[in-house]
Amino acid sequence: MVLRQIEGSRGVAEAVARCRPEVICAYPISPQTHIVEALSAQVKSGALAPCEFVTVESEFAAMSVAIGASATGARAYTATASQGLLYMVEAIYNASGLGLPIVMTVANRAIGAPINIWNDHSDSMSQRDSGWVQLYAETNQEAVDLHVQAFRLAEEVSLPVMVCMDGFVLTHAVERIDVPEQEQVDAFLPAYQPRQLLDPAEPVSIGAMVGPEAFTEVRYLAHARQMQALELIPRVAADFERVFGRSSGGLVRPYRTQDAETVVVALGSVLGTLKDTVDELRDQGHRIGVLGIISFRPFPLADVRAAVGQAARVVVLERALAVGIGGIVTSNVRMALSGNGTRDYTVIAGLGGRAITRASLREMLLAAEADRLEPLTFLDLNRPLVERELARAGERRMSGPAAENMLRDAGPATPWIG
Amino acid sequence: MPVQPIKFYQSGSFVVGNRLLDPDQRSVQADPNRTNSLNSGHRACQGCGEALGARYALDAAMRATNNQLIAVNATGCLEVFSTPYPETSWQIPWLHSLFGNAPAVSTGVAAALKAKGRTDVRVVGQGGDGGTVDIGFACLSGMFERNDDVLYICYDNEAYMNTGVQRSGSTPPAATTMTTQAVGPEPGNRFGQGKNVPLIAMAHEIPYVATATVADLRDLEYKVRRAMEFRGARYLHVFVPCPLGWGTASCDTIRIARLAVHTGLFPVFEAEHGEVVDVTRIPRQVPVAEYLRPQRRYRHLFGASPRPDVVARIQQIADRNIRRFGLLAAEPAPTAQEAP
Ligand SMILES: Cc1ncc(C[n+]2csc(CCOP(=O)(O)OP(=O)(O)O)c2C)c(N)n1
Ligand code: SF4
Ligand SMILES: [Mg+2]
C-alpha cells in the first residue's frame, strides 16, 4: 500500500486508467475537468494503451460514443457534471435501456438557472430513475475504490454505473489516497465479457423497436437487474476488501446508530462533517447516529430499515431539492420505514456549494431531537432575502430578474456563501 | 452478320443493363450471393426509396469490406420499418440508439474497433434527412471534424416521414408537409436559405463526399465502394423519394428521382478532400414543372389557381445548380477553383 498526497480527480483518473478502459470520451465541464485531463495525458503518452480518447463535441455525443463503444465490446468510460449530465440525458436512458455497462463519474454540481458551478446533488439526483446504478462516495479514497468496483459491478449485471463524487469538495481536494496497484486491479477486475456484441461473425440487431407486447417485460428486466445489483454490491465490496485490504463501498454505512433515537441520513462528503457533529453530541449524551447511503440506486430498502428502524425519528439531509414537494432521499427513506411510525424530517442543505457547518448541523439536530424542526427545513436559509424579493414581486408586475435582485440585496460580502 | 449498335442510354439515362456487362462489372444486387443486408419482409411502404437505397448501399458496403461491417442507425422510417420487435430485417450487426446521435455512436463503434485492433471491420452510420441535417447535425459535424473512420449515409426524403411528414431542414421550398400546409400567401414550405449538407461536409475537407439517387443504383453502389477505399470520415447523401410523403405513385419512385437529377434540382457529384472531382451530367435539362407536377406535395402550384411564379423560382434554383456544378453534358467540367 502506497499512500500519496494527491488531488481526488487525479486519484480517480489513475484508478480508472488501471481498470484498462478501451474507449474514453469526454466533454469538459467543471468540476469534472481534472479527471479527464489526467486520463487524456495517460492515453496520449501511451501509458494507457490500447485506449482511444475521443474529444467529443458535447456530452450527448460523449454518452453516444460510449454507447457505440460498449456495444462493440469495449470497456467505456466518461465523466461529466451538472449541465453536462442534463445535456446527455436522452443517451443516459438509452445506455441503461440497452444494458450497456458504461462507467461514468459525476462530479456533483448544482444545476442552473441560476448558473452555479459549486457542489450539490441536483444533477445526479435528477437521473435517479434513469436505470443507472448510482454510488455516492464519502471520501476521495472511497471515490477511487468505487470506480474499480463500478466496472466489475457494471459488467457483471450489464448495467451502467454512475460514481457520484462531490464536485470541488472531493474532486479538487488534495489528501492522502492509496491508488490501487495495477496487479491488484487486474486480480479484482476480469476482462470485459459482453453479453451482447456487434460482431460481423455473429450479426445481431441491438436497439430494435419494442411494442406493448414486451415493453413491460423489458423494463421489468431492468428492475430485476438492479435487484441483482442490490445483492452483488455487498459481495463486490467484500471481494474488494479481500484483495485491497480495506473496506470501501457496499450499500449503506451506519455510524453509531445502535440505540440511537435520532438517525441522520445523508449521501456523499457531508457525512464527514455529520459524523464529527454526531461525535460531539454523543459525547454530551445525545443518542444520535448517522446512516450514509452509498448505493442510492438500487435503493437498499431493507438495509435502511435495519439501520434506522429502531430510532424514533430520522432526519434526512438532502443535497438537492424536489421543487414543489421537498426531499428526494426522504421519500425513499420513508418507503423503507413505511408502517414503522418513525417521524421524518427533511433538511435541504448545501445547495450550490453553500457550506454546511458543524454549528448549523448541531443546532438543527438539537431542534430535531426536541421535535421542534419543521417537516421541511432549509438549513441556513436567509429568509429576509427571500422575503424582500417576494415583497418586490407582490408590489409590481415588472419586478425584474429574481436572482439578480437577490444578489444585489445580499451585497458583495455575503456571509451566506461558503 | 448484321450488327446492332448498343445505346447505353436507351432508358433515357446512362443506366446500363447488367446483361450487357462482364460478370465482374455487374451490380452487387445482381449477385445471387449478395448479403441481403436489409432483408425482405420489412414494413416499408411500397415503392419506398429509402428501403431501396439502404439495401443497395449496405450490400455494396458489405462487398467492399468483405462482409466485415457494423451499421448504426438513427431513429426514423428505416429503423422503424426494419425492426418491429421481435423481427429484424438486418442480416448485419446493427445498432439503433437514438434519433440525433447516430454519427457519435458510429464514432464509438469505430473507436472500439481501433482499440481492439480490428481495422478490418468498418462502420456505416445512417439516418434520414431529419436525423442528419437537423437533430444529428452537431454529432455529424463533430465526427467529420475529428475525421473518424465512419461512412455516414443520409437517406434524404426531404421531411420527417416517420412522424407523419413534417418539414425538416431538407424540405424544399413550396413543398407541402403537415407543418407547411398549402395555405396563406406563401403556400407550402417557405423559400429559405437551404441547408446543403454535402457542401457543408465538403467544407470539413473530409476525404470523401458524394451524392447519389435511387435512379442510378449502379452509381450508388460505385460511390459506396469508392467511399470504402478511404479511411476517415466520409459522407454519402442519397436522394430517396417517399411515395407516402410526396404523394407520388409507388411505381414512380425511380422516375421521380431521375427527374430530380435531370431538372438540376438534385446535383449528383463526388468530392475528395473538399474538391469536386466528378459530376453526373444531364443528357438534356428537363423543366422543373415536369418533376413537380406528379407530386401531390406540389399540387397547389398547378390546377385551378396555378402559381407559375413559384414554379419559376424553383426553376431558378435548378438553373443555378446546373451552372454551379456544370451539370449539362455539353458544359466543361468545373475546375477545382470553380467548384463550389
Ligand atoms: C429526440 C427525438 N425527437 C423526436 C423524435 C421523433 N421522431 C422519430 S423519427 C422522426 C422523423 C425522422 O425523420 P428523418 O430523419 O427524416 O427520417 P425518415 O423517417 O424521414 O426516414 C422523428 C421526428 C425522436 N424519436 N427523438
Ligand atoms: S413513409 Fe416514406 S420513407 Fe417511410 S417507409 Fe413509407 S415510403 Fe418509406
Ligand atoms: Mg426524412
Side-chain angles (χ1 to χ4, degrees):
Chain A
M1 188 173 94
V2 191
L3 284 172
R4 282 156 61 213
Q5 186 82 10
I6 54 172
E7 193 194 44
S9 294
R10 175 150 207 106
V12 167
E14 288 186 16
V16 167
R18 283 170 200 175
C19 293
R20 304 185 188 276
E22 291 160 292
V23 174
I24 298 174
C25 35
Y27 190 83
I29 183 165
S30 299
Q32 150 265 36
T33 43
H34 292 183
I35 301 173
V36 293
E37 286 166 4
L39 280 165
S40 164
Q42 292 245 14
V43 176
K44 207 155 194 312
S45 69
L48 172 54
C51 181
E52 292 294 308
F53 189 94
V54 188
T55 50
V56 284
E57 72 285 349
S58 74
E59 287 87 357
F60 178 62
M63 186 47 65
S64 303
V65 168
I67 287 168
S70 185
T72 313
R75 186 170 282 165
Y77 170 82
T78 187
T80 191
S82 183
Q83 315 298 132
L85 189 74
L86 294 200
Y87 200 79
M88 62 164 67
V89 168
E90 197 194 6
I92 286 177
Y93 274 74
N94 191 253
S96 56
L98 293 173
L100 297 172
I102 297 158
V103 170
M104 169 163 70
T105 310
V106 176
N108 285 112
R109 165 181 155 180
I111 288 172
I115 189 163
N116 173 303
I117 65 165
W118 291 282
N119 167 234
D120 69 31
H121 290 169
S122 309
D123 49 4
S124 55
M125 279 293 158
S126 77
Q127 297 309 301
R128 65 191 179 277
D129 299 332
S130 65
W132 283 58
V133 170
Q134 284 196 339
L135 307 174
Y136 286 78
E138 180 179 334
T139 62
N140 275 341
Q141 184 65 63
E142 188 165 57
V144 162
D145 297 346
L146 282 179
H147 279 87
V148 181
Q149 297 186 26
F151 281 105
R152 166 103 173 255
L153 185 65
E155 290 165 16
E156 280 198 32
V157 289
S158 293
L159 279 181
V161 177
M162 238 176 247
V163 181
C164 306
M165 62 189 291
D166 286 320
F168 295 113
V169 179
L170 292 182
T171 55
H172 288 54
V174 175
E175 56 183 6
R176 291 196 319 163
I177 316 176
D178 175 16
V179 177
E181 300 295 326
Q182 188 64 64
E183 307 77 62
Q184 291 175 302
V185 177
D186 288 344
F188 176 78
L189 180 65
Y192 172 35
Q193 288 198 315
R195 264 183 198 280
Q196 49 183 347
L197 183 63
L198 294 169
D199 178 6
E202 267 181 75
V204 289
S205 298
I206 303 178
M209 180 160 219
V210 177
E213 69 282 0
F215 194 78
T216 307
E217 287 68 23
V218 175
R219 296 311 300 151
Y220 178 82
L221 195 70
H223 181 68
R225 286 222 189 103
Q226 284 239 351
M227 293 305 100
Q228 288 171 1
L230 201 56
E231 285 180 15
L232 194 59
I233 289 167
R235 276 195 274 135
V236 168
D239 233 32
F240 184 90
E241 186 165 4
R242 200 157 40 246
V243 175
F244 296 87
R246 67 174 164 270
S247 148
S248 246
L251 294 167
V252 296
R253 189 170 298 125
Y255 180 76
R256 304 184 83 167
T257 50
Q258 260 165 4
D259 83 349
E261 284 172 350
T262 306
V263 175
V264 201
V265 176
L267 292 74
S269 64
V270 73
L271 284 164
T273 320
L274 263 178
K275 286 178 186 173
D276 288 349
T277 315
V278 159
D279 283 344
E280 203 179 289
L281 288 168
R282 277 271 177 191
D283 289 347
Q284 291 157 11
H286 298 267
R287 283 166 60 188
I288 185 162
V290 180
L291 180 68
I293 296 179
I294 300 153
S295 167
F296 189 64
R297 286 292 181 272
F299 190 79
L301 289 170
D303 300 73
V304 170
R305 192 181 174 92
V308 181
Q310 314 306 317
R313 66 186 71 75
V314 59
V315 177
V316 185
L317 196 74
E318 306 257 8
R319 306 291 318 280
L321 170 63
V323 181
I325 178 154
I328 298 167
V329 183
T330 311
S331 40
N332 291 260
V333 169
R334 209 174 275 154
M335 193 174 243
L337 301 176
S338 83
N340 233 27
T342 318
R343 278 190 295 284
D344 58 64
Y345 297 96
T346 300
V347 178
I348 310 290
L351 296 187
R354 176 161 300 177
I356 302 176
T357 64
R358 246 156 77 176
S360 298
L361 285 177
R362 186 188 151 83
E363 197 185 322
M364 178 274 289
L365 289 174
L366 289 174
E369 257 191 337
D371 287 318
R372 280 190 286 106
L373 204 60
E374 293 289 321
L376 175 61
T377 301
F378 287 76
L379 195 71
D380 292 340
L381 180 73
N382 184 344
R383 205 166 274 285
L385 196 62
V386 177
E387 267 151 20
R388 233 172 300 164
E389 177 57 21
L390 286 174
R392 190 165 21 229
E395 281 159 18
R396 55 194 138 97
R397 178 75 213 155
M398 184 67 87
S399 53
E404 287 70 10
N405 287 344
M406 290 163 97
L407 269 186
R408 205 178 320 109
D409 287 347
T414 167
W416 301 96
I417 296 174
Chain B
M1 197 171 71
V3 176
Q4 163 107 48
I6 295 164
K7 284 189 190 148
F8 278 155
Y9 45 92
Q10 283 157 333
S11 61
S13 72
F14 292 116
V15 176
V16 174
N18 266 308
R19 59 197 168 76
L20 302 176
L21 293 169
D22 290 339
D24 65 328
Q25 286 186 290
R26 289 183 189 171
S27 74
V28 177
Q29 283 302 307
D31 181 354
N33 295 320
R34 65 179 184 257
T35 44
N36 294 323
S37 311
L38 173 62
N39 210 355
S40 58
H42 57 70
R43 301 181 184 187
C45 309
Q46 199 175 44
C48 173
E50 188 162 284
L52 182 65
R55 179 181 174 84
Y56 271 72
L58 289 168
D59 279 354
M62 281 289 273
R63 173 167 306 170
T65 60
N66 206 13
N67 297 346
Q68 299 302 301
L69 189 73
I70 293 173
V72 173
N73 217 127
T75 312
C77 268
L78 178 60
E79 168 261 328
V80 171
F81 72 60
S82 61
T83 65
Y85 189 83
E87 302 129 23
T88 176
S89 290
W90 298 102
Q91 311 269 40
I92 54 177
W94 181 91
L95 172 63
H96 162 247
S97 172
L98 295 168
F99 189 21
N101 70 354
V105 175
S106 306
T107 290
V109 174
L113 292 169
K114 195 168 172 203
K116 289 177 177 300
R118 288 297 304 270
T119 44
D120 56 323
V121 183
R122 309 293 300 276
V123 190
V124 169
Q126 49 182 358
D129 49 291
T132 306
V133 321
D134 288 344
I135 199 167
F137 194 60
C139 286
L140 186 71
S141 176
M143 187 273 278
F144 286 165
E145 170 273 317
R146 293 184 302 266
N147 203 24
D148 296 330
D149 190 24
V150 172
L151 166 62
Y152 189 90
I153 305 177
C154 170
Y155 302 103
D156 185 4
N157 52 23
E158 302 190 328
Y160 294 107
M161 294 312 177
N162 187 54
T163 34
V165 195
Q166 295 85 14
R167 177 205 187 273
S168 80
S170 184
T171 302
T176 52
T177 67
M178 298 306 279
T179 50
T180 56
Q181 288 87 347
V183 294
E186 214 182 336
N189 191 28
R190 55 189 284 274
F191 281 74
Q193 294 300 113
K195 192 171 186 178
N196 193 321
V197 174
L199 294 185
I200 297 171
M202 282 170 61
H204 289 75
E205 308 210 345
I206 56 175
Y208 187 72
V209 174
T211 64
T213 79
V214 287
D216 192 347
L217 292 160
R218 296 303 308 275
D219 180 61
L220 172 58
E221 285 186 345
Y222 154 74
K223 281 169 177 163
V224 171
R225 194 177 72 234
R226 178 77 183 125
M228 283 305 182
E229 288 168 7
F230 294 87
R231 289 277 168 179
R234 291 141 290 144
Y235 181 70
L236 186 54
H237 193 102
V238 189
F239 185 85
V240 291
C242 164
L244 184 102
W246 296 8
T248 50
S250 297
C251 58
D252 273 348
T253 296
I254 305 294
R255 187 170 77 89
I256 295 289
R258 187 175 297 138
L259 283 167
V261 177
H262 287 187
T263 51
L265 283 173
F266 188 84
V268 176
F269 65 93
E270 240 184 326
E272 292 177 15
H273 304 289
E275 291 177 19
V276 173
V277 294
D278 196 23
V279 299
T280 298
R281 310 279 168 193
I282 301 172
R284 83 194 103 76
Q285 190 185 358
V286 175
V288 293
E290 277 188 44
Y291 166 73
L292 303 173
R293 199 176 281 112
Q295 304 185 45
R296 207 163 53 233
R297 62 177 173 158
Y298 294 114
R299 188 168 47 181
H300 57 286
L301 304 181
F302 306 95
S305 42
R307 293 292 302 268
D309 57 323
V310 176
V311 176
R313 280 182 83 181
I314 298 173
Q315 186 63 53
Q316 278 173 14
I317 295 172
D319 293 348
R320 174 157 192 262
N321 280 344
I322 285 180
R323 279 198 312 277
R324 192 179 187 190
F325 289 88
L327 295 177
L328 277 181
E331 287 181 18
T335 65
Q337 277 71 29
E338 283 168 357

